[in-house]
């Protein structure tokens, strides 16, 4: 099969992504880097940003995108912890716009969510963001208006710490991953509403059926097909939008553009991986190099060495790599989770070099184990069933409880059954097509398509913040929310209630709350809480790692603690852009 990405051409017009060509930053000095071939780096405490339309050509077809200061991604913003920054954002679009500073702690009126923290930025208008920077690390920024994030309104953000990081390096590169479609995002969504698997080019065929019969026999093959048919779902439905329409970008360049970062043998290189896509999960690796993970979502973690990392939408992961001189070039390889394409770049000792680009891994398929039927793997899979009132699938496979401490995680289990209880709002709900009956944390599970692939893959269980629980208090109460959806209708919500019909989640200023999320769908959901940190727990309620975005795999149940230490109205949502737009969104209101 010829890969979609192999037909992509270099970015050709108006420097789309050109401002990111050669995104190498010497660690010293880190300010005002403007030499030829460097990106647009805006550093200091005063910034002027302009959002405007721009013509781009990622695929051989000219299209209209939206850009910040004339580049996609927008300029790299470099702040310093402890400074007060002022950012004047001007709108040259014919519609309202906004900028949200993802993962940044700030006053609610500086958060950049129209309708919550401010009215938005009107055409020809300007909004001045001003706040003190009280953290450090790797973050990003993007529009929170309509589908502008899909159209190019995003960029990287680095905050240099007051105190030196506990690790050293000689080079510093941002690796910004994103997705682009030549179609209008509204047209993409309209297609998904009519046919949820419209972009799934891996649907099973009659030939697959014949091959499965040869491998497994008639009985097992027919039973498997019947089980999926009764759930009205497909085991190949891993991504809502695929390489059938997406071009995957690395620092604003398509794979054929081959973004290149230079190094000298023996140098330690810090790669700041940012998944700034609208709808795509990426599995990132560099064949021939180990990745030493040193930070997640901007917060330092105990170093852990792996071969590969999965980045959920909106997550950032910092890694250190150390080329030893045995190769002149290495490929940065970020394949989409459904293997329908990839983003690609190069680390090289000089311009013009490249290394072999790996073939994407085989397209993974969800199994009945992943969805909760049949025998379960050692990672502990979640038992699931169609929602009440829908076509019920009789019987559930046995469940491995070893992964889960129900005293710590089991808020909401049905009394005496060990089965997961569900909100009444899910019952007979036309917006809910399945429920997870025996969810588990899956913290040590590399994930679909990454298990037993011969490479060590980072999991949440590997992440340990370099600091203890910053609050230390036991939560005074628990809030359990279910991630719900209906695949055929392409509808998404919390507890079966879309945002338009939902009440705010109210927190009292200063309280410590435990959030428990249960994923009742067959899709991943990266859940992002604005303005407040999310302190992820292990299965026993012990603090693991501080994050701003929590990935929720299918059939998973995860908990984290939140300190309500910032007054105001905060957005809380799935960061899959179209899931958020269609209702997987809530307001968290922190009040006196």
């Amino acid at each position: 099969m010829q890969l979609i990405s192999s037909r992509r051409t270099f970015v050709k017009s108006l420097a789309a992504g050109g401002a990111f060509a050669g995104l190498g930053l010497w660690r010293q000095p880190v300010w005002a880097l403007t030499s030829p071939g460097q990106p647009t780096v805006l550093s200091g405490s005063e910034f002027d940003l302009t959002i405007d339309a721009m013509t781009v050509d990622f695929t051989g077809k000219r299209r209209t995108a939206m850009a910040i200061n004339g580049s996609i991604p927008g300029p790299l913003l470099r702040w310093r912890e402890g400074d007060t920054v002022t950012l004047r954002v001007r709108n040259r679009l014919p519609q309202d716009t906004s900028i949200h500073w993802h993962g940044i702690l700030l006053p609610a009126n500086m958060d950049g969510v129209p309708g919550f923290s401010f009215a938005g930025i009107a055409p020809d208008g300007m909004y001045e963001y001003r706040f003190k920077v009280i953290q450090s690390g790797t973050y990003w920024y993007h529009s929170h208006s309509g589908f502008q994030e899909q159209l190019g309104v995003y960029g990287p953000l680095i905050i240099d710490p007051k105190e030196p990081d506990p690790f050293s390096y000689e080079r510093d590169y941002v690796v910004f991953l994103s997705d682009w479609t030549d179609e209008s995002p509204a047209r993409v969504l309209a297609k998904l509403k009519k046919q949820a698997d419209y972009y799934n080019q891996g649907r099973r065929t009659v030939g697959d059926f014949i091959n499965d019969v040869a491998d497994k026999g008639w009985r097992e093959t027919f039973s498997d097909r019947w089980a999926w048919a009764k759930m009205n779902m497909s085991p190949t439905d891993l991504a809502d939008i695929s390489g059938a329409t997406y071009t995957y970008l690395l620092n604003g360049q398509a794979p054929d553009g081959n973004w290149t970062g230079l190094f000298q043998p023996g140098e330690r290189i810090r790669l700041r991986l940012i998944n700034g896509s609208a709808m795509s999960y990426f599995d990132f690796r560099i064949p021939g190099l180990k990745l030493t993970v040193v930070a997640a979502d901007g917060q330092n973690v105990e170093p852990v060495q792996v071969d590969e990392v999965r980045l959920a939408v909106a997550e950032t992961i910092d890694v250190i790599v150390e080329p030893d001189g045995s190769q002149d070039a290495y490929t940065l390889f970020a394949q989409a989770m459904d293997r329908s394409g990839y983003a690609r770049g190069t680390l090289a000792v000089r311009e013009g070099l490249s290394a072999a680009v790996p073939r994407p891994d085989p397209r993974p398929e969800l199994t009945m184990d992943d969805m909760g039927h049949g025998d379960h793997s050692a990672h502990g899979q979640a038992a699931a069933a169609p929602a009440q009132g829908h076509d019920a699938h009789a019987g559930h496979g046995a469940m491995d409880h070893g992964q889960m401490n129900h005293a710590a995680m089991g808020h909401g289990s049905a009394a005496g059954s060990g089965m997961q209880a569900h909100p009444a709002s899910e019952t007979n709900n036309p917006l809910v097509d399945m429920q997870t009956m025996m969810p588990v944390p899956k913290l040590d599970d590399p994930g679909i398509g990454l298990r037993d692939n011969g490479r060590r893959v980072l999991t949440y269980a590997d992440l340990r913040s370099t600091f203890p629980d910053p609050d230390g208090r036991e939560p005074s109460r628990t809030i359990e929310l279910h991630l719900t959806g209906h695949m055929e209708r392409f509808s998404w919500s919390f507890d079966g209630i879309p945002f338009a019909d939902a009440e705010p989640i109210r927190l009292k200023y200063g309280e410590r709350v435990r959030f428990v999320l249960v994923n009742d769908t067959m899709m991943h959901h990266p859940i992002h809480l604005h303005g407040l940190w999310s302190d992820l727990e292990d299965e026993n309620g012990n603090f693991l790692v501080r994050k701003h975005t929590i990935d929720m795999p299918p059939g998973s149940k995860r908990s984290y603690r939140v300190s309500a230490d910032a007054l105001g109205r905060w957005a809380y949502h799935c960061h899959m852009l179209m899931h958020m737009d269609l209702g997987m969104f809530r307001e968290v209101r922190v009040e006196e």
Side-chain angles (χ1 to χ4, degrees):
M1 181 184 74
Q2 185 181 16
L3 285 167
I4 297 294
S5 52
S6 69
R7 301 195 296 268
R8 303 308 189 192
T9 57
F10 186 57
V11 179
K12 293 193 283 282
S13 73
L14 291 184
F20 258 53
L23 188 57
L25 305 179
W26 289 106
R27 192 180 186 205
Q28 299 294 338
V30 295
W31 299 103
L33 300 170
T34 56
S35 60
Q38 296 283 358
T40 300
V41 180
L42 303 180
S43 59
S45 58
E46 300 269 339
F47 302 86
D48 286 283
L49 303 176
T50 300
I51 302 174
D52 203 350
M54 185 176 79
T55 301
V56 299
D57 183 352
F58 291 110
T59 66
K61 299 175 183 176
R62 293 171 67 84
R63 290 291 186 266
T64 299
M66 296 178 181
I68 304 169
N69 288 18
S71 70
I72 298 175
L76 168 58
L77 304 183
R78 197 134 194 169
W79 305 345
R80 281 189 288 204
E81 183 182 11
D83 283 0
T84 294
V85 294
T86 301
L87 304 108
R88 292 171 289 271
V89 180
R90 291 174 172 82
N91 182 10
R92 297 289 181 260
L93 300 171
Q95 66 261 37
D96 286 5
T97 191
S98 60
I99 292 290
H100 164 60
W101 315 101
H102 186 100
I104 304 302
L105 306 178
L106 35 58
N109 64 336
M110 296 290 123
D111 192 46
V113 178
F116 271 33
S117 52
F118 78 143
I121 309 172
D124 294 321
M126 187 272 286
Y127 190 79
E128 183 175 282
Y129 297 86
R130 182 179 174 84
F131 49 89
K132 185 171 183 179
V133 180
I134 60 173
Q135 63 203 96
S136 62
T138 303
Y139 302 92
W140 64 298
Y141 62 99
H142 59 85
S143 172
H144 226 285
S145 300
F147 294 132
Q148 293 174 10
E149 186 183 334
Q150 176 74 88
L151 290 163
V153 187
Y154 50 74
L157 169 59
I158 295 174
I159 306 174
D160 288 295
K162 282 182 179 178
E163 302 296 327
D165 282 314
F167 45 86
S168 61
Y169 51 95
E170 287 73 50
R171 297 265 182 168
D172 187 351
Y173 288 103
V174 165
V175 177
F176 198 108
L177 303 170
S178 57
D179 45 31
W180 167 264
T181 172
D182 280 345
E183 300 182 87
S184 78
R187 179 173 172 80
V188 171
L189 179 57
K191 289 179 177 179
L192 291 171
K193 291 291 287 183
K194 290 179 181 176
Q195 182 184 339
D197 63 350
Y198 182 90
Y199 294 103
N200 179 6
Q201 294 188 324
R203 290 188 290 270
R204 296 196 294 194
T205 65
V206 172
D208 293 327
F209 181 83
I210 293 170
N211 290 337
D212 286 351
V213 168
D215 290 341
K216 305 174 186 176
W218 275 99
R219 178 185 291 272
E220 185 176 343
T221 300
F222 184 79
S223 175
D224 178 74
R225 293 300 200 278
W226 180 242
W228 283 102
K230 292 200 65 143
M231 293 194 298
N232 292 316
M233 295 173 186
S234 167
T236 64
D237 204 353
L238 298 169
D240 297 312
I241 308 174
S242 73
T245 190
Y246 269 157
T247 300
Y248 301 107
L249 308 180
L250 189 154
N251 291 341
Q253 297 196 20
D256 289 354
N258 190 26
W259 174 90
T260 301
L262 301 181
F263 72 90
Q264 293 298 320
E267 289 182 328
R268 290 157 298 191
I269 306 167
R270 180 177 189 168
L271 301 177
R272 301 173 185 263
L273 311 178
I274 301 172
N275 186 349
S277 69
M279 294 287 289
S280 303
Y281 276 55
F282 289 104
D283 296 330
F284 178 88
R285 70 184 193 267
I286 306 175
L289 289 180
K290 296 288 187 180
L291 312 176
T292 301
V293 177
V294 294
D297 287 359
Q299 301 294 287
N300 290 340
V301 297
E302 298 292 344
V304 56
Q305 191 173 86
V306 298
D307 300 307
E308 188 167 15
V309 297
R310 169 164 287 175
L311 287 113
V313 174
E315 286 187 315
T316 73
I317 295 177
D318 291 32
V319 302
I320 302 289
V321 298
E322 299 185 49
D324 60 7
S326 60
Q327 293 180 217
D328 287 343
Y330 296 87
T331 295
L332 309 179
F333 187 66
Q335 57 182 335
M337 183 166 63
D338 69 343
R339 312 304 185 232
S340 63
Y342 57 85
R344 166 250 184 164
T346 299
L347 291 177
V349 296
R350 61 183 181 275
E351 291 285 353
L353 297 180
S354 62
V357 178
R359 292 184 61 84
D361 292 336
R363 174 189 292 270
E365 287 192 2
L366 291 165
T367 66
M368 284 293 112
D369 282 355
D370 288 304
M371 302 313 299
H373 302 286
D375 296 329
H376 301 278
S377 75
H379 293 294
Q381 304 300 330
Q388 299 175 40
H390 296 278
D391 190 8
H393 183 76
H396 305 292
M399 179 61 206
D400 175 11
H401 292 270
Q403 286 287 315
M404 190 169 194
N405 180 324
H406 284 273
M409 292 284 294
H411 314 282
S413 294
S417 69
M419 303 284 276
Q420 174 64 48
H422 292 271
S425 53
E426 289 189 31
T427 303
N428 296 321
N429 188 329
L431 300 181
V432 179
D433 66 353
M434 69 173 287
Q435 294 176 324
T436 299
M437 304 312 294
M438 301 287 273
V440 286
K442 300 188 180 182
L443 294 170
D444 65 349
D445 181 8
I448 180 72
L450 295 177
R451 302 176 192 124
D452 305 315
N453 65 3
R455 305 185 290 268
R456 182 176 178 194
V457 181
L458 183 74
T459 69
Y460 274 6
D462 294 321
L463 296 175
R464 295 283 189 284
S465 288
T466 56
F467 45 84
D469 180 353
D471 187 300
R473 294 175 294 165
E474 268 300 304
S476 59
R477 62 190 177 110
T478 294
I479 296 172
E480 181 171 293
L481 293 167
H482 290 234
L483 314 180
T484 46
H486 194 291
M487 291 294 290
E488 280 193 296
R489 293 184 171 92
F490 201 70
S491 62
W492 306 98
S493 55
F494 285 105
D495 291 350
I497 305 170
F499 172 64
D501 302 325
E503 288 294 316
I505 299 168
R506 297 180 185 274
L507 305 182
K508 185 173 177 59
Y509 181 67
E511 75 171 320
R512 182 76 156 162
V513 177
R514 173 177 282 115
F515 279 79
V516 175
L517 298 182
V518 179
N519 188 354
D520 279 337
T521 80
M522 65 180 291
M523 305 298 288
H524 277 259
H525 301 286
I527 303 300
H528 172 46
L529 174 59
H530 289 219
L532 309 170
W533 283 116
S534 300
D535 294 329
L536 183 67
E537 302 175 322
D538 68 12
E539 299 91 332
N540 298 308
N542 300 311
F543 171 64
L544 274 181
V545 63
R546 170 160 274 194
K547 298 187 91 274
H548 54 55
T549 304
I550 304 288
D551 179 35
M552 293 296 298
S556 65
K557 181 175 186 175
R558 293 176 171 176
S559 72
Y560 52 97
R561 306 169 206 163
V562 172
S563 295
D565 53 10
L567 292 167
R569 302 173 62 193
W570 301 104
Y572 182 49
H573 59 89
C574 176
H575 219 284
M576 302 286 271
L577 183 60
M578 294 183 184
H579 295 184
M580 177 184 75
D581 182 73
L582 292 174
M584 194 175 279
F585 190 110
R586 286 286 174 95
E587 175 186 346
V588 170
R589 194 172 293 181
V590 180
E591 303 168 314
E592 292 279 13

